[in-house]
């Protein structure tokens, strides 16, 4: 301690030009988000935000370029599709992630991991095309009429032949979204479970727990943040998906009485109305405001999801110490 | 090498144990008795197979893929590899504590009752058992009234003693300890050793340690492993004062390892 | 609908029903061309080829230009045919089209990011003036009312009023008395009609809702490239989406651009309707005739509509035919149609437009845009039939030439 420090010590890493450059670069995402919000707010002129904007009432009259631009129906359609897809994808992802990390030997889990990662890399428009060209005719001609016959007594699964015609609608949109969300949620859940310290797992086994009991009581507990984070980030993906949903949801501005009926989401409505909107200024403003609503939801969902996942990583890193 | 003079009745009998991977042999021809209600320490240089040895005793070795176990291990006269023996039940009778304190991310209380929830203990018994287990692990005075705090908040030594309490809660007959003080400071080490001493007349303890001094302090018998073989096992004072094997002598006098 | 349906006749089945004008194979080639063009465009964009394209070069000394077009998917196949033909004549000029939708064609023209914006629906002249744009018609197209009724393979007789009532769900069954009356002898099923609409912003929606708006006083919500459809009706992306959607929707009804005729004819479950005459639309009466979308009937309608326009304007819908001064669409405008000369105009007819700037940033490049459009509406018009389009009438060409004269170009 008494020794004087060497005067020739190099400056700490990150000082100099790197530190000087580093902080503005780090701020870039924040600046970009702020710029997007400001430009959108400016473009929308906030003309429609108000009582009717938050209603279920959407009606546009192109002749007078005016109307009632309630976001309600689109928000409900977004919520229904995203939440249903998330319930299905969450359950399946959890099952897949547990199989991959706990039960399957590496020789089987490795190719399956690659496969799920591959699913994540498929562009959404490919899912949309697949859903539209292959699945929609099957849903409309076979699956949905069968469902009507078998479980038609359950509210939401009955309806008429006209409801199932074409096969597009809520059910197909939920199906496609589920498949699109699974790779993301599976990847996060898998990593969260994989990050559970081996010590804790062994400790659980050594106390006489079965693998499933260790998974349920220890792995879930340690990975809780990551598992919730996966659901939030999956939700963020589901609400933001425009192209694939637009292709298969049936593009009806309604909350349908059955799961076969057409509906629409905020993102997909923006997607397929955008080119008309350049001809109708009031419609464009409404779409910009819908985009702002979507942005706000997405930011909240992603921040919550990232934080949950991040806290889980910290828990995993410090687990057992 | 056989065990010349078991002290007291053995609770675990190991005969001709061999553990191997396709590439190499980890343990070979180990025959050893673990006496009941005594502390047996397992010493030896790194890679001598100590940890693998105690992991065979409660079949934790099976959680590592690719290991082949041959030979016989009897717990209270019962072959533990008998297909009718459920390793899950076996591990409730033969508890284990690891080098790193592996507390679960839950409250202190829930850590202790973890095993009780698994074996169907009546929840009305939990409070009594938690108190008793923490007391045996020397933690009750320190933690009284704070049992709902997250176990993470405890110090490293406290966490390790919590792991001991957690293992004791299911009333095991044997406690396997794999370098339980390996990651602890001297004061915490001393507290864990005190706990071991308090337990030694109640249950059988097998403790793996890198510290010859610790083996001398806490154990009744000591087994010396070298390169996957049991070189010598004897009452601790005998082994340290009059080792019969040259390898043992070299190790305990610090000439290598 | 009180008149005897027996008097309703189907006339001039013409060339449309005969040999298909285009084979599926040629559409595949079209798709190939589309992909090739997209790849080339991408490559050019990435490699800086766009800059090269507008630089001076070649031993001839002529400046090289790549003329960018984007917009209507109906116009896109036509542009793909015209472009290479024009380049063969003028090797220094490349035409680079993209099928992105009429709305994008309009917005890109407004933004000045393209040289030509293609659209099925005209840009309101007042809006066009704001951006120094003019509507330049380059061809005549039409729209079909297509249905998928198992067991019915004939051309049904439908009219604007009935179609409007179907889309308003005032008529819900195929065997509704109003439909049956116009189709004596056809066994119409007691099945619910499933109307399909376009989900994207579409010139076809503009045409279709215009016809509904003019045909039936009960039609609400006006007309436009977008429309607030009844909530339970399903929407489909693009004309191709309408075709495949209708294929998987028994008892469905859809409106589809005529350049998809070969797809419709290739599927035996699909058939298109003859539409009630324009006099009935104008006067709110029962049609005397039902007209099939033959080339002759479509061009008759365009001729009728454009013959006596005063003042000259091409920003019109052709649905009301040649009502003098019919630049504004109002139901019940009265008047009579001079149908003596053109007895069987197909009502659901349309002009296809290219939007160009009158005050371009690069006048010498704009010279070539004007050259190309003048060639396209005259000599190039011989290729229109390849996509089931029809050449412009002389009246419209005259108007175009006059309008193009006002564009700032450098000589």
């Amino acid at each position: 301690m008494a020794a004087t420090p060497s005067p020739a010590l190099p400056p700490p890493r990150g000082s100099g030009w790197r530190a000087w450059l580093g902080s503005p670069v780090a701020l870039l995402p924040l600046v970009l988000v702020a710029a997007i919000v400001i430009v959108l707010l400016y473009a929308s002129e906030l003309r429609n935000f108000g009582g009717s904007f938050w209603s279920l009432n959407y009606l546009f009259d192109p002749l007078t370029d005016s109307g009632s631009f309630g976001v309600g129906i689109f928000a409900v359609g977004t919520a229904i599709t995203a939440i249903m897809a998330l319930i299905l994808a969450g359950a399946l992802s959890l099952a897949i992630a547990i199989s991959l990390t706990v039960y399957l030997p590496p020789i089987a889990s490795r190719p399956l991991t690659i496969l799920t990662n591959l699913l994540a890399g498929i562009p959404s428009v490919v899912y949309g095309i697949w859903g539209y060209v292959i699945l929609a005719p099957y849903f409309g001609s076979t699956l949905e009429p069968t469902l009507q016959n078998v479980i038609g007594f359950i509210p939401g699964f009955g309806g008429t032949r006209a409801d199932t015609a074409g096969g597009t609608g809520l059910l197909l949109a939920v199906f496609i979204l589920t498949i699109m969300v699974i790779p993301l949620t599976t990847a996060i859940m898998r990593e969260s479970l994989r990050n559970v310290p081996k010590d804790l797992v062994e400790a659980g086994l050594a106390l006489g727990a079965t693998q499933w009991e260790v998974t349920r009581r220890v792995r879930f507990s340690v990975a809780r943040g990551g598992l919730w984070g996966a659901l939030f980030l999956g939700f963020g993906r589901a609400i933001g998906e425009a192209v694939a949903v637009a292709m298969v949801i049936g593009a009806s501005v309604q909350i349908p009485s059955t799961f076969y009926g057409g509906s629409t989401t905020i993102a997909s409505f923006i997607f397929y109305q955008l080119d008309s909107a350049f001809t109708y200024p009031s419609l464009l403003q409404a779409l910009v405001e819908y985009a702002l609503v979507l942005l706000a939801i997405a930011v909240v969902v992603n921040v919550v999801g990232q934080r949950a996942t991040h806290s889980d990583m910290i828990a995993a890193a410090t687990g057992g110490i | 090498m056989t065990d010349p003079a078991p002290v007291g009745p053995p609770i675990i009998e190991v005969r001709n144990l061999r553990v191997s991977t396709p590439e190499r042999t980890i343990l070979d021809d180990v025959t050893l008795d673990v006496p009941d209600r005594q502390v047996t320490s397992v010493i030896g240089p790194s890679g001598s197979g100590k940890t693998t040895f105690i992991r065979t005793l409660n079949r934790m070795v099976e959680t590592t893929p690719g290991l082949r176990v041959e030979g016989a291990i009897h717990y209270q006269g019962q072959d533990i590899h008998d297909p009718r023996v459920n390793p899950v039940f076996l591990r409730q009778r033969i508890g284990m504590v690891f080098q790193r304190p592996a507390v679960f991310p839950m409250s202190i209380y829930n850590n202790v009752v973890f095993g009780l929830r698994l074996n169907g203990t009546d929840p009305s018994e939990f409070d009594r058992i938690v108190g008793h287990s923490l007391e045996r692990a020397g933690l009750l005075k320190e933690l009284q009234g704070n049992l709902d705090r997250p176990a993470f908040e405890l110090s490293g030594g406290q966490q390790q003693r919590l792991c001991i309490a957690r293992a004791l809660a299911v009333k095991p007959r044997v406690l396997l300890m794999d370098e339980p003080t390996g990651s602890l400071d001297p004061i915490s080490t001393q507290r864990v050793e005190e706990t071991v001493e308090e337990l030694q007349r109640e249950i059988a303890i097998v403790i793996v340690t890198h510290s010859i001094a610790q083996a001398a302090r806490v154990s009744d018998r000591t087994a010396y492993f070298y390169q996957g073989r049991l070189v010598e096992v004897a009452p601790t004072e005998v082994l340290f004062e009059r080792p019969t094997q040259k390898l043992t002598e070299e190790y305990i006098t610090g000439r290598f390892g | 609908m009180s008149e005897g349906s027996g008097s309703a006749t189907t006339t001039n089945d013409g060339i449309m029903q005969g040999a298909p004008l285009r084979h599926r194979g040629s559409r595949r080639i079209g798709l190939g061309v589309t992909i090739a063009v997209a790849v080339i465009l991408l490559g050019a964009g990435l490699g800086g080829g766009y800059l090269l394209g507008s630089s001076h070069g070649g031993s001839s000394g002529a400046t090289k230009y790549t003329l960018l077009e984007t917009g209507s998917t109906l116009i896109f196949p036509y542009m793909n045919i015209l472009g290479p033909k024009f380049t063969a004549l003028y090797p220094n000029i490349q035409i680079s089209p993209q099928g992105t939708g009429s709305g994008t064609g309009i917005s890109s023209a407004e933004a000045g990011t393209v040289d030509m914006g293609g659209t099925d629906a005209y840009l309101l002249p007042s809006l066009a003036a704001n951006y120094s744009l003019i509507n330049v018609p380059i061809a005549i197209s039409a729209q079909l009312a297509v249905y998928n009724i198992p067991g019915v393979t004939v051309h049904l007789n439908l009219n604007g009023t009935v179609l409007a009532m179907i889309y308003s769900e005032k008529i819900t069954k195929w065997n509704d008395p109003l439909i049956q009356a116009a189709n004596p002898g056809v066994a119409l099923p007691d099945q619910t009609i499933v109307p399909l609409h376009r989900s994207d912003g579409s010139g076809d929606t503009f045409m279709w809702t215009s016809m509904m708006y003019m045909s039936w006083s009960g039609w609400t919500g006006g007309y436009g490239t977008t429309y607030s459809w009844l909530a339970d009706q399903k929407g489909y992306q693009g004309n191709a989406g309408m075709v495949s959607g209708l294929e998987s929707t028994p008892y469905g009804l859809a409106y589809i651009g005529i350049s998809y005729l070969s797809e419709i004819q290739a599927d035996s479950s699909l058939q298109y309707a003859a539409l009630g005459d324009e006099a009935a639309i104008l006067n709110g009466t029962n049609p005397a005739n039902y007209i099939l979308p033959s080339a002759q009937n479509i061009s008759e309608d365009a001729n009728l509509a454009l013959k006596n326009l005063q003042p000259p304007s091409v920003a019109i819908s052709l649905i009301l035919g040649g009502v003098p001064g019919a630049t504004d669409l109002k139901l019940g405008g009265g008047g009579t149609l001079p149908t003596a000369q053109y007895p069987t105009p197909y009502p659901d007819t349309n002009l296809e437009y290219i939007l160009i700037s009158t005050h371009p940033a690069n006048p010498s490049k704009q010279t070539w845009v004007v050259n190309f459009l003048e060639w396209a509406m005259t000599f190039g018009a011989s290729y229109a039939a390849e996509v089931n389009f029809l050449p412009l009438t002389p009246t419209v060409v005259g108007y175009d030439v006059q309008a193009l004269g006002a564009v700032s170009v450098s000589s």
Side-chain angles (χ1 to χ4, degrees):
Chain A
M1 291 296 144
T4 45
S6 160
L9 273 179
R13 242 139 99 95
S15 67
W17 65 273
R18 249 174 278 162
W20 183 84
L21 184 73
S23 50
V25 169
L27 282 176
L28 196 60
L30 195 68
V31 172
L32 279 175
V33 171
I36 290 170
V37 170
I38 289 167
V39 168
L40 287 180
L41 283 173
Y42 175 77
S44 77
E45 300 173 26
L46 297 177
R47 189 171 294 178
N48 301 306
F49 281 126
S52 70
F53 182 77
W54 304 104
S55 74
L56 292 174
N57 191 12
Y58 175 86
L59 193 71
F60 174 63
D61 181 358
L63 263 189
T64 56
D65 186 22
S66 64
S68 164
F69 295 105
V71 75
I73 285 178
F74 312 116
V76 173
T78 304
I80 292 175
T81 48
I83 289 171
M84 285 180 65
L86 207 63
I87 291 170
L88 293 173
L92 281 166
S93 297
L94 194 58
I96 296 169
I98 291 170
S99 306
L100 290 177
T101 51
V102 180
Y103 290 106
L104 290 178
I107 195 165
S109 70
R110 205 163 297 138
L112 276 172
T113 302
I114 293 169
L115 204 69
T116 48
N117 289 343
L118 199 69
L119 284 176
I122 297 175
S124 61
V125 70
V126 175
Y127 285 107
I129 289 266
W130 174 61
Y132 184 77
V133 176
I134 311 292
L135 293 182
Y138 169 73
F139 270 54
S141 66
T142 311
L143 180 70
E144 292 179 347
T146 309
L147 286 178
Q148 280 178 330
N149 289 337
V150 178
I151 58 168
F153 58 90
I154 302 172
F157 288 95
T160 65
R161 190 72 195 81
D163 291 327
T164 63
T168 56
L170 266 187
L171 195 67
L172 184 55
V174 167
F175 185 85
I176 291 286
L177 269 182
T178 302
I179 292 170
M180 295 181 67
V181 168
I182 279 178
L184 178 70
T185 47
T186 302
I188 300 171
M189 287 180 173
R190 192 188 62 224
E191 284 315 301
S192 301
L193 291 175
R194 198 163 274 169
N195 281 336
V196 172
K198 193 164 169 280
D199 300 10
L200 295 185
V201 172
E202 293 213 314
L205 292 173
L207 281 167
T210 61
Q211 277 289 4
W212 169 239
E213 283 166 339
V214 170
T215 301
R216 195 161 63 90
R217 293 173 186 274
V218 179
R219 288 192 175 96
F220 284 2
S221 183
V222 177
R224 189 172 44 213
L227 299 179
W228 280 108
L231 292 182
F232 271 93
L233 295 176
F235 188 74
R237 163 129 210 217
I239 61 168
E241 180 49 49
V243 177
V245 173
M247 291 166 91
V248 299
I249 199 171
S252 308
V253 182
Q254 68 165 350
I255 300 151
S257 57
T258 72
F259 287 112
Y260 319 116
S263 188
T264 193
T265 66
I266 297 176
S268 61
F269 189 74
I270 292 171
F271 170 72
Y272 45 61
Q273 289 298 296
L274 193 59
D275 64 351
S276 281
F278 287 109
T279 325
Y280 305 110
S282 71
L283 180 59
L284 184 59
Q285 279 165 3
L287 294 190
V288 169
E289 285 161 0
Y290 295 165
L292 278 168
V293 171
L294 197 59
L295 178 71
I297 299 172
V299 165
V300 170
V301 164
N302 277 291
V303 166
V304 172
Q306 296 280 6
R307 281 185 67 104
T309 313
H310 187 59
S311 73
D312 175 56
M313 296 303 167
I314 292 170
T318 60
I321 293 183
Chain B
M1 169 82 213
T2 51
D3 186 356
V7 183
I11 189 161
I12 297 176
E13 297 152 89
V14 180
R15 296 288 175 269
N16 306 110
L17 179 68
R18 179 185 151 91
V19 179
S20 57
T21 69
E23 292 81 32
R24 65 189 192 94
T25 302
I26 298 168
L27 282 178
D28 198 11
D29 195 25
V30 173
T31 295
L32 177 72
D33 284 352
V34 175
D36 200 1
R37 297 173 204 278
Q38 296 203 355
V39 179
T40 303
S41 60
V42 177
I43 60 171
S46 295
S48 58
K50 312 185 291 291
T51 295
T52 304
F53 170 69
I54 66 164
R55 285 170 66 88
T56 59
L57 302 183
N58 62 348
R59 290 177 61 179
M60 278 298 285
V61 74
E62 291 167 12
T63 63
T64 311
L67 288 184
R68 180 177 161 83
V69 179
E70 293 156 284
I73 300 174
H74 286 79
Y75 165 74
Q76 291 190 324
Q78 164 78 51
D79 178 6
I80 67 167
H81 292 114
D82 188 308
R84 286 167 298 183
V85 170
N86 187 337
V88 167
F89 294 135
L90 181 73
R91 287 171 198 157
Q92 294 231 330
R93 308 313 310 136
I94 306 178
M96 194 165 193
V97 173
F98 300 87
Q99 178 175 0
R100 281 184 67 198
V103 300
F104 300 135
M106 47 186 85
S107 70
I108 293 165
Y109 184 92
N110 281 329
N111 261 277
V112 179
V113 300
F114 188 90
L116 303 176
R117 292 192 202 280
L118 298 173
N119 67 11
T121 305
D122 182 357
S124 67
E125 294 283 292
F126 282 7
D127 286 355
R128 190 184 60 74
I129 297 173
V130 168
H132 186 57
S133 304
L134 288 173
E135 191 180 4
R136 290 171 81 194
L139 268 176
L140 191 60
K141 284 203 192 79
E142 294 165 54
L143 301 183
Q144 189 89 56
N146 284 320
L147 299 186
D148 290 330
R149 279 170 52 204
F152 279 122
E153 294 179 4
L154 299 177
S155 71
Q158 287 175 320
Q159 288 192 12
Q160 189 63 299
R161 280 182 285 145
L162 177 61
C163 290
I164 295 171
R166 186 175 65 192
L168 293 175
V170 293
K171 297 193 181 67
R173 290 299 313 278
V174 181
L175 185 61
L176 309 173
M177 305 178 93
D178 186 5
E179 296 185 44
T181 60
S183 64
L184 301 183
D185 61 79
I187 294 171
S188 298
T189 299
Q190 192 190 340
R191 304 297 302 274
V192 170
E193 286 182 10
E194 285 165 15
T195 303
V196 170
E197 279 165 25
E198 282 161 26
L199 290 171
Q200 66 177 329
R201 299 302 160 226
E202 301 171 33
I203 59 174
I205 294 175
V206 181
I207 181 168
V208 167
T209 177
H210 265 301
S211 161
I212 294 164
Q214 184 174 64
R217 282 196 299 271
V218 301
S219 65
D220 303 293
R221 281 160 60 79
T222 297
Y224 174 61
F225 279 70
Y226 180 69
Q227 291 187 344
R229 287 176 173 270
L230 174 60
V231 176
E232 184 169 0
V233 57
T236 301
E237 64 274 18
V238 174
L239 186 105
F240 279 86
E241 287 166 18
R242 300 184 300 279
T244 60
Q245 302 293 316
K246 193 166 166 43
L247 280 170
T248 316
E249 189 184 345
E250 284 177 6
Y251 183 70
I252 61 178
T253 54
R255 253 173 263 168
F256 79 97
Chain C
M1 306 303 146
S2 55
E3 283 175 34
S5 49
S7 67
T9 52
T10 300
T11 56
N12 263 6
D13 207 359
I15 61 165
M16 290 300 171
Q17 216 193 359
L21 293 175
R22 266 164 29 95
H23 302 288
R24 274 183 102 73
S26 67
R27 182 155 298 281
R28 290 239 173 76
I29 294 165
L31 182 66
V33 171
T34 307
I35 293 166
V37 166
V39 167
I40 290 163
L41 265 179
L42 196 65
L46 292 173
Y50 177 69
L51 290 173
L52 289 174
S54 57
S55 67
H56 294 273
S59 54
S60 67
T63 310
K64 289 190 174 178
Y65 289 114
T66 298
L67 309 183
L68 303 177
E69 188 270 346
T70 194
S72 161
T73 53
L74 217 55
I75 296 176
F76 177 61
Y78 190 38
M79 278 290 172
N80 275 331
I81 292 167
L82 293 182
K85 306 285 183 194
F86 192 71
T87 301
L89 296 172
Y90 303 97
N92 58 320
I93 302 302
Q94 299 279 334
I95 313 291
S96 164
Q98 273 187 294
T100 54
S102 294
T104 307
I106 292 172
S107 60
S108 300
E110 287 175 356
T113 54
V114 292
D115 303 301
M116 298 179 274
T119 170
D120 313 324
Y122 59 83
L123 184 59
L124 281 174
S126 55
L127 274 176
N130 286 345
Y131 296 96
S132 302
L133 295 173
I134 51 170
N135 293 292
V136 181
I138 57 156
I140 296 164
S141 74
Q143 186 174 56
L144 311 176
V146 190
Y147 44 83
N148 174 359
I149 311 175
V152 174
T153 56
V154 297
H155 298 290
L156 289 181
N157 294 330
L158 300 173
N159 66 54
T161 307
V162 164
L163 291 169
M165 291 173 84
I166 290 173
Y167 273 82
S168 303
E169 297 183 8
K170 295 293 182 286
I171 291 175
T172 59
K173 297 278 190 178
W174 278 113
N175 64 349
D176 188 277
L178 284 176
I179 303 175
Q180 190 67 69
N183 296 280
V186 180
L188 291 166
D190 180 23
Q191 292 283 351
T192 303
I193 305 172
V194 185
L196 315 184
H197 62 79
R198 286 279 291 275
S199 58
D200 49 341
S202 160
D204 282 293
T205 298
F206 183 92
M207 291 169 67
W208 191 249
T209 52
S210 297
M211 189 165 76
M212 307 295 107
Y213 175 78
M214 284 182 280
S215 299
W216 185 48
S217 58
W219 184 258
T220 56
Y223 58 90
T225 55
T226 183
Y227 179 80
S228 293
W229 300 101
L230 284 185
D232 58 333
Q233 296 171 5
K234 286 182 182 176
Y236 290 86
Q237 285 280 127
N239 271 311
M242 287 287 260
V243 173
S244 62
L246 188 63
E247 281 171 342
S248 54
T249 305
Y251 308 105
L253 173 68
Y255 53 91
I256 296 169
I258 196 162
S259 47
Y260 289 78
L261 181 66
S262 54
E263 272 83 349
I264 294 162
Q265 289 176 328
D267 188 325
S268 61
S269 65
L270 306 185
Q271 188 53 283
Y272 57 91
L275 295 185
D277 60 49
E278 291 180 341
I281 294 176
L282 183 64
N283 301 313
T285 57
N286 254 6
N289 294 302
Y290 287 89
I291 321 293
L292 278 164
S294 68
Q296 183 190 333
N297 295 347
I298 293 166
S299 68
E300 271 190 13
D301 183 65
N303 284 322
L304 178 61
L306 298 165
K307 202 174 85 150
N308 292 316
L309 281 176
Q310 288 300 331
S313 169
V314 289
I316 60 160
S317 164
L318 305 185
I319 286 161
L320 256 193
V323 180
T327 53
D328 190 14
L329 301 174
K330 292 265 167 56
L331 184 71
T336 54
L337 289 166
T339 51
Q341 194 183 349
Y342 309 106
T344 55
Y346 182 74
D348 200 2
T349 306
N350 190 46
L351 290 175
E352 298 297 322
Y353 300 91
I354 297 291
L355 291 168
I356 66 166
S357 173
T358 54
H359 295 84
N362 184 346
S364 45
K365 189 181 186 185
Q366 198 73 351
T367 311
W368 282 102
V369 174
V370 170
N371 285 349
F372 168 70
L373 289 176
E374 286 183 350
W375 172 84
M377 69 187 65
T378 52
F379 300 104
S382 57
Y383 303 109
E386 292 189 26
V387 289
N388 298 322
F389 284 178
L390 289 164
L392 295 175
T393 65
T395 319
V396 181
V397 173
Y399 168 85
D400 272 355
V401 171
Q402 191 186 343
L404 289 173
V407 176
S408 302
V409 296
S410 69
S411 48

